[in-house]
Amino acid sequence: RWSNWKGKKTWGWSSIMATISFDLVSPENLIFNDEVGMIIVPGKDGDFGVLPGHSKVMSSLRPGRVMVYGEDKNLLKAFFVSGGFAEVNPEKCIVLAESVDEINSLEKSSIEKQIQDLEGVEDDSKKEQLNIAKAKINAIESNYYEKI
């Protein structure tokens, strides 16, 4: 929206949205649904941040962390997704995940045991499980994006 300030045309910042609607959906149910300040999503080619007013984009997801922030840019929630898709438009971000875990609920020791059991297996589905388990360890150990 344009406003007239002392005879000069200026962009009215008040018209820019402060939040974006975010849905995180697993095959079983809706995991998260709220208005947020920002989301960081593990896109296939790298992480990308979604702010209110983001351009339309659709991306496949790799295993990794979905970070959800409030308007004040404080971290609200952190999730691990094993893959899926993200659809973004200026008002809404929807993540359709193959599986979702809250980062805080992941147990490093049980994931490390799973990695040991899966290593050396030639089966393609087991290799995929191994890649996801390794990504979970990386997600637990990572402190990227904790504060922005």
Side-chain angles (χ1 to χ4, degrees):
R1 170 182 314 156
W2 291 95
S3 62
N4 197 350
W5 182 72
K6 293 190 180 179
K8 296 180 182 173
K9 296 248 183 214
T10 59
W11 182 254
W13 291 105
S14 62
S15 66
I16 294 179
M17 298 169 284
T19 61
I20 185 167
S21 178
F22 175 57
D23 290 351
L24 176 60
V25 185
S26 76
E28 294 82 28
N29 58 357
L30 179 64
I31 306 293
F32 187 94
N33 167 256
D34 206 349
E35 296 288 320
V36 301
M38 181 173 129
I39 311 109
I40 296 178
V41 180
K44 198 69 166 175
D45 296 323
D47 295 346
F48 63 94
V50 178
L51 291 165
H54 197 286
S55 59
K56 289 184 178 183
V57 68
M58 184 162 225
S59 175
S60 57
L61 303 178
R62 69 182 198 291
R65 297 185 310 162
V66 173
M67 309 292 282
V68 184
Y69 301 88
E71 280 184 82
D72 57 5
K73 301 296 186 258
N74 282 330
L75 184 63
L76 297 177
K77 289 265 189 183
F79 299 96
F80 178 86
V81 296
S82 60
F85 292 91
E87 181 181 354
V88 180
N89 67 48
E91 298 86 35
K92 189 169 188 104
C93 174
I94 302 170
V95 170
L96 304 172
E98 294 168 7
S99 69
V100 180
D101 296 289
E102 275 202 53
I103 294 286
N104 296 340
S105 73
L106 296 176
E107 292 183 25
K108 188 174 179 180
S109 59
S110 63
I111 298 167
E112 287 171 337
K113 184 184 180 326
Q114 181 185 17
I115 289 171
Q116 287 176 346
D117 295 343
L118 290 169
E119 283 181 329
V121 178
E122 295 301 318
D123 182 356
D124 283 345
S125 70
K126 299 292 185 199
K127 286 181 184 177
E128 178 69 18
Q129 290 175 16
L130 178 60
N131 289 338
I132 291 170
K134 287 180 177 179
K136 284 181 180 179
I137 294 293
N138 288 339
I140 291 169
E141 293 176 346
S142 176
N143 59 3
Y144 289 116
Y145 314 128
E146 297 281 323
K147 292 190 188 308
I148 54 168

